[in-house]
Amino acid sequence: MLSRLGALLQQAVETREPSVDLLEAFTEHWKGITGYYLEATDESTPAKQTDIPWRLKQMLDILVYEEKQHPAGEAGPCLEYLLQHKVLETLSTLGKAEYPPGMRQQVLLFFSRVLGQVQHPLLHYLNVHRPVQKLLQLSGHPLGSGTEKEEAQFAAVLCAKIQQDPTLLAYILEGKSILNGRKAQEQPGTPPGEGAEHPPARRDGNLVTSLVGLCKSQASRVALKARENLLLLTGLPQEAAAACLVRSGALCQLLAEHLCHLHGAVPPCAHPDDVLAMGRASWRSPGDAGGAGDFAGKESLVAFFCWLDFLDELVAGAHPLVAGALGEAVEEKFFRGVLQPQLLQMSELAVLSATAVLSGTVRQLRAPPLLQRLVFFLLGPGGHPETPGDPPHPLRAHLIDRCDHLSDEISLASLRLFEELLRVPHEEVVLSLVLRNLQARGYLQRGPPVPDEHGAPEPDPEEEEEEEEDPYFTDGFPENGFGMGKKPQGGSSPLGKGHVSEVVSSFLCLVPEEAKTSSCLEEGGYDTYVHDALGMVQASRSRAASWGWPPAPRPLDGCPPEGQFYEGRFLKVLFDRLARILDQPYSLNLQVTSVLSLLAAFPHPHLHEYLLDPYLSLAPGCRSLFSVLVRVIGDLMQRIQRVPHFRAKLLLVRQQLLGLVPGEQMEHATLFKGVVVLEEFCKELAAIALVKGPPEGPP
């Protein structure tokens, strides 16, 4: 029987004659498949060991050959037979039953090949897209656990067809007609009215749910292909297709829920250092995301950050409707539903873990719709300058206050979080944390400057008349540096290369000679700092290039007068921390100075002025970065006098930090390490000031 049918098909192909022979062969193969279910006695025989795969292949070959013999767009007799006799409907039912074993795999392959190789627009027909929907609803079904590869191939073919004709998306997701909005197209020979049948919109199983399910596959190639097809669907430029995805596919909810699930799988014992050492993840190559070394929870963290990276890329390339809806879902379910409760916990271990994962999340995101929501979630709206009595944004205040927490570990993790935030290419971060308080330049003395016979950059109005001259504030500085020159009225000193060299000299000479040790041990010298500063400044300029910042400070006569200047909660915490640099752990000092250096590298003229100009005429009660450093140096000079052999011990500690000698404990070790960081920080600031040069235009 089989040989006779094969010979018949071969004869039809060779003679290219009557189509009735092709139709007869096509129907014979179909009857052979249906007859198997009437004649088979062994239900355990796998489908691969029957003649079903061969017959399906012959049916496909006939359809493809027949189409080539007819004008484009004209359905041949075999295709009409397939549509009229609901062949695909029957096959989808057989696939659902998974009988014989492995039948679902064969059905998926047949559907993929027919839809991919037959050029006639089949998905418009009810008797095609209905069984297509039925197969999609089976995706991920336990009975078909071994068909992920075929499911991915089937979904890929559908996505390719949708890319060619985006109006098909409504068919696949909702079963709606794309021709008249009311009924699906009637196939040839369909009795009148059949096309009016409407399968209900299935939200528990469709192309979107199938693709999202395949994204979770342990088979990397299956997951990769599914994610690529989701990118294709969400990037369709047609608004109708985007609206269909948002409305009918449950896409955004599914993607956000999986993010929450992966986050929940991260163990709370993950150490912040391990999390931040991972680097940015890539969903296309998850094996590279974790970096070197293993630690508890690494696999879960890699899975979480890779999915986050995928969502970030999806939002960046998606239609604005889809990007907005997904951003909203991520904010609702993940930011507010998961992160916020964890960040507000009192448990130190939970706070450390949540803060570290949040830092990694901030580092991972770059898509503007997601960044906007993340920044607003963390920092809230930030337009007007802060005042000490303002009702704070709860989460913002909480996170900033933790930078000065009783637990050094929490302080360190929180400072790292803000460093990651300041590296985000989003202007609102800098505006909310710092710039909104500097816009009116309220830190400057508006009237004639208070006489300062001792040359200290920060006069204290309460102590000015009572204090005697403090030799530690001017010792070791050049005659024309450290504020010794005449300060211009109403702000900063004159601009130009000479002024920049004086600024650099002021920072380099700030630490007294008794506390300097870097020149004794390092061969790179100051050039290393300049090289690092150049990279930092260039990165900051690149981030701020599109923000429209002015090249020069705002004229004072255009700044509305303010009351008492307030540097804001964030700078207050940083300055308070910096003031205690001689008494804090080494790692904490490094992080505080790292954040301040990052702020100083930003190209906004007010930020440049406030952090890098030692010659400011500060308003009464105000402090600047330089004035805080001056007071630290004053404290240091007094301590130097009280510690015998200070310089020798300092040099030994520096050698220990560099790993040149064993790291033995020593009295006053915290002080010595603080001095090392202080010297490094002053060099960094000098290098940043040198690289940035003077602001453009008049102050």
Side-chain angles (χ1 to χ4, degrees):
M1 178 67 176
L2 295 180
S3 60
R4 186 178 72 82
L5 291 175
L8 180 64
L9 175 59
Q10 182 65 30
Q11 180 184 2
V13 171
E14 289 178 355
T15 60
R16 301 187 180 183
E17 282 235 350
S19 58
V20 64
D21 291 341
L22 290 179
L23 179 59
E24 181 181 350
F26 188 84
T27 57
E28 284 295 327
H29 282 301
W30 178 237
K31 289 177 182 177
I33 292 174
T34 56
Y36 172 86
Y37 291 88
L38 300 176
E39 302 170 1
T41 57
D42 186 358
E43 297 184 358
S44 63
T45 303
K48 284 185 177 181
Q49 296 180 15
T50 70
D51 64 351
I52 292 177
W54 178 79
R55 291 186 179 280
L56 289 174
K57 178 66 167 59
Q58 299 306 309
M59 291 171 66
L60 172 68
D61 290 343
I62 292 173
L63 290 172
V64 172
Y65 175 79
E66 178 190 68
E67 185 174 51
K68 295 178 181 179
Q69 312 310 310
H70 289 77
E74 179 181 316
C78 296
L79 181 58
E80 288 192 4
Y81 182 92
L82 178 131
L83 297 171
Q84 291 174 6
H85 291 79
K86 302 182 180 179
V87 171
L88 298 182
E89 286 269 19
T90 303
L91 283 174
S92 65
T93 301
L94 297 177
K96 180 179 181 180
E98 186 62 351
Y99 172 68
M103 186 61 183
R104 183 171 304 167
Q105 180 185 45
Q106 300 303 319
V107 171
L108 285 167
L109 285 172
F110 182 72
F111 270 66
S112 299
R113 290 166 179 169
V114 168
L115 293 174
Q117 297 181 37
V118 175
Q119 301 304 309
H120 194 82
L122 297 177
L123 284 168
H124 296 76
Y125 298 114
L126 178 64
N127 282 352
V128 176
H129 72 249
R130 183 164 55 190
V132 162
Q133 287 175 315
K134 183 182 294 186
L135 280 183
L136 288 171
Q137 291 163 16
L138 299 178
S139 180
H141 193 279
L143 289 178
S145 57
T147 62
E148 281 188 337
K149 181 181 177 181
E150 290 74 24
E151 290 172 11
Q153 182 180 349
F154 179 48
V157 170
L158 292 176
C159 290
K161 292 294 181 181
I162 292 170
Q163 186 179 31
Q164 296 171 5
D165 183 4
T167 55
L168 286 172
L169 187 60
Y171 258 90
I172 305 303
L173 292 185
E174 302 172 340
K176 292 183 178 179
S177 171
I178 58 173
L179 299 178
N180 54 27
R182 294 189 301 275
K183 63 180 181 178
Q185 178 177 326
E186 297 179 2
Q187 54 274 14
T190 300
E194 184 181 334
E197 295 176 13
H198 279 274
R202 295 294 299 265
R203 295 179 182 256
D204 58 337
N206 56 31
L207 180 58
V208 163
T209 56
S210 174
L211 285 172
V212 174
L214 291 169
C215 286
K216 307 171 187 177
S217 171
Q218 296 300 310
S220 58
R221 295 182 65 180
V222 169
L224 181 67
K225 191 64 178 176
R227 295 177 187 186
E228 289 174 344
N229 281 299
L230 274 179
L231 290 177
L232 185 154
L233 286 184
T234 56
L236 293 173
Q238 291 77 9
E239 185 167 337
C244 183
L245 277 175
V246 172
R247 179 180 66 250
S248 306
L251 171 68
C252 301
Q253 299 300 314
L254 289 171
L255 295 177
E257 286 170 2
H258 188 51
L259 181 68
C260 298
H261 171 75
L262 291 174
H263 180 272
V266 176
C269 60
H271 195 278
D273 291 343
D274 292 330
V275 177
L276 295 177
M278 290 177 59
R280 294 191 75 230
S282 170
W283 65 272
R284 296 182 186 273
S285 53
D288 302 334
D294 290 321
F295 55 87
K298 178 178 179 179
E299 185 177 347
S300 300
L301 277 167
V302 169
F304 168 73
F305 285 125
C306 283
W307 185 253
L308 192 63
D309 180 60
F310 169 67
L311 295 188
D312 187 63
E313 183 173 335
L314 188 148
V315 168
H319 187 283
L321 282 178
V322 179
L326 181 54
E328 182 179 355
V330 170
E331 179 181 4
E332 175 190 351
K333 290 187 174 295
F334 181 57
F335 294 164
R336 302 194 182 278
V338 175
L339 282 184
Q340 183 163 300
Q342 291 192 359
L343 291 169
L344 296 177
Q345 289 185 82
M346 300 304 294
S347 163
E348 182 173 336
L349 181 62
V351 168
L352 284 173
S353 177
T355 306
V357 174
L358 175 58
S359 298
T361 300
V362 171
R363 178 180 52 202
Q364 197 67 50
L365 297 182
R366 287 298 177 268
L370 284 179
L371 276 182
Q372 176 68 34
R373 290 184 178 274
L374 178 63
V375 170
F376 188 84
F377 161 71
L378 293 176
L379 305 180
H384 301 291
E386 295 177 80
T387 63
D390 281 343
H393 178 268
L395 192 54
R396 177 185 188 273
H398 212 65
L399 294 175
I400 291 177
D401 289 347
R402 279 186 176 159
C403 294
D404 199 2
H405 198 271
L406 289 175
S407 164
D408 291 334
E409 288 78 9
I410 289 181
S411 296
L412 185 60
S414 302
L415 286 164
R416 285 173 173 168
L417 167 62
F418 282 100
E419 181 174 5
E420 293 293 343
L421 275 170
L422 289 169
R423 295 185 189 278
V424 162
H426 201 291
E427 184 182 11
E428 285 297 324
V429 175
V430 190
L431 286 175
S432 176
L433 291 177
V434 182
L435 275 183
R436 60 173 170 165
N437 306 307
L438 308 180
Q439 296 287 19
R441 301 175 74 192
Y443 45 85
L444 294 177
Q445 172 73 40
R446 294 296 182 112
V450 178
D452 183 11
E453 60 181 347
H454 306 304
E458 184 192 21
D460 189 330
E462 298 180 0
E463 302 177 2
E464 191 174 5
E465 298 180 358
E466 302 176 6
E467 280 187 343
E468 296 183 0
E469 182 173 341
D470 187 347
Y472 302 118
F473 275 79
T474 56
D475 182 50
F477 293 97
E479 293 182 358
N480 63 341
F482 195 41
M484 298 299 291
K486 183 178 180 181
K487 302 174 186 176
Q489 180 174 341
S492 59
S493 52
L495 303 173
K497 293 183 179 179
H499 173 63
V500 172
S501 64
E502 291 178 1
V503 169
V504 171
S505 177
S506 294
F507 281 111
L508 290 178
C509 297
L510 190 55
V511 177
E513 290 299 323
E514 300 93 317
K516 290 182 178 180
T517 53
S518 61
S519 59
C520 303
L521 299 173
E522 297 177 2
E523 297 180 359
Y526 186 58
D527 290 345
T528 302
Y529 295 90
V530 174
H531 178 270
D532 294 344
L534 181 61
M536 187 185 302
V537 169
Q538 287 176 340
S540 296
R541 284 174 176 166
S542 176
R543 283 194 293 272
S546 62
W547 298 347
W549 282 354
R554 184 180 179 184
L556 275 179
D557 54 9
C559 297
E562 293 184 343
Q564 180 68 32
F565 171 73
Y566 178 51
E567 63 257 38
R569 185 184 292 262
F570 185 59
L571 277 179
K572 180 182 184 305
V573 167
L574 291 179
F575 284 174
D576 289 348
R577 274 293 191 188
L578 183 62
R580 303 198 298 271
I581 194 172
L582 303 179
D583 302 298
Q584 295 175 152
Y586 178 68
S587 58
L588 197 55
N589 285 335
L590 288 177
Q591 194 60 48
V592 171
T593 55
S594 178
V595 174
L596 285 168
S597 296
L598 191 56
L599 283 173
F602 276 103
H604 196 286
H606 296 178
L607 204 52
H608 179 101
E609 176 181 66
Y610 187 59
L611 296 181
L612 290 178
D613 193 341
Y615 300 99
L616 293 180
S617 294
L618 292 171
C622 294
R623 58 181 178 173
S624 67
L625 176 57
F626 193 80
S627 73
V628 173
L629 289 172
V630 166
R631 293 198 173 276
V632 171
I633 295 300
D635 182 21
L636 172 61
M637 292 299 294
Q638 295 183 42
R639 297 194 192 196
I640 288 175
Q641 309 302 320
R642 299 196 293 264
V643 178
H645 310 294
F646 182 90
R647 184 176 173 83
K649 294 178 180 178
L650 176 62
L651 183 59
L652 178 59
V653 168
R654 192 178 189 100
Q655 290 174 321
Q656 291 175 350
L657 292 173
L658 293 173
L660 302 177
V661 298
E664 300 176 358
Q665 274 295 344
M666 173 187 302
E667 189 180 6
H668 305 301
T670 299
L671 168 63
F672 293 132
K673 291 178 181 178
V675 173
V676 170
V677 176
L678 183 62
E679 182 186 359
E680 299 297 309
F681 183 48
C682 289
K683 286 189 173 184
E684 288 176 4
L685 294 176
I688 293 171
L690 178 65
V691 169
K692 292 178 72 176
E696 301 176 12

